[in-house]
Amino acid sequence: MNTIYENTVKGVGDLAAAFAEEKTIILFGDSAPDTLKDYCYSIDVKKADAVIEPGQTLEIDGKQYKIQVVGGVMQKNLEALGHISIQFSGAADGLPGTMVVEEAEVPVLKIGSTIRVLA
């Protein structure tokens, strides 16, 4: 598998883990609005080397999750703002800025956690 996107968590909002009950994590670059920063994991804004698509693999700290749904503006938001939601619900659909992966326990992210998309 080739890595087509890679990033590292550089900050953790005080309430970022609050969405674990919703099986969701929220990533955002440095431009996160003040009203959202506490709920986000902070990353750098980076481009992907290819289109992120269902069937590829999301890897967080070495654990892999099959990507099932990629919202219509997910990649655009990721590359422009560093902002997406990742749902670990296995749902058949999702919001436009969301990546849905197979149903799984939400990983605990920390500063230095690595996020990759593999194709």
Side-chain angles (χ1 to χ4, degrees), residues 26-68:
I26 300 171
L27 305 177
F28 219 126
D30 292 333
S31 65
D34 289 338
T35 55
L36 292 179
K37 283 183 180 178
D38 284 343
Y39 298 96
C40 299
Y41 295 93
S42 177
I43 60 172
D44 287 323
V45 174
K46 294 184 175 182
K47 301 267 186 208
D49 293 335
V51 175
I52 298 172
E53 302 175 312
Q56 295 172 340
T57 301
L58 173 70
E59 182 181 274
I60 298 177
D61 291 335
K63 182 149 176 56
Q64 296 187 345
Y65 309 89
K66 183 178 179 187
I67 299 172
Q68 295 187 239

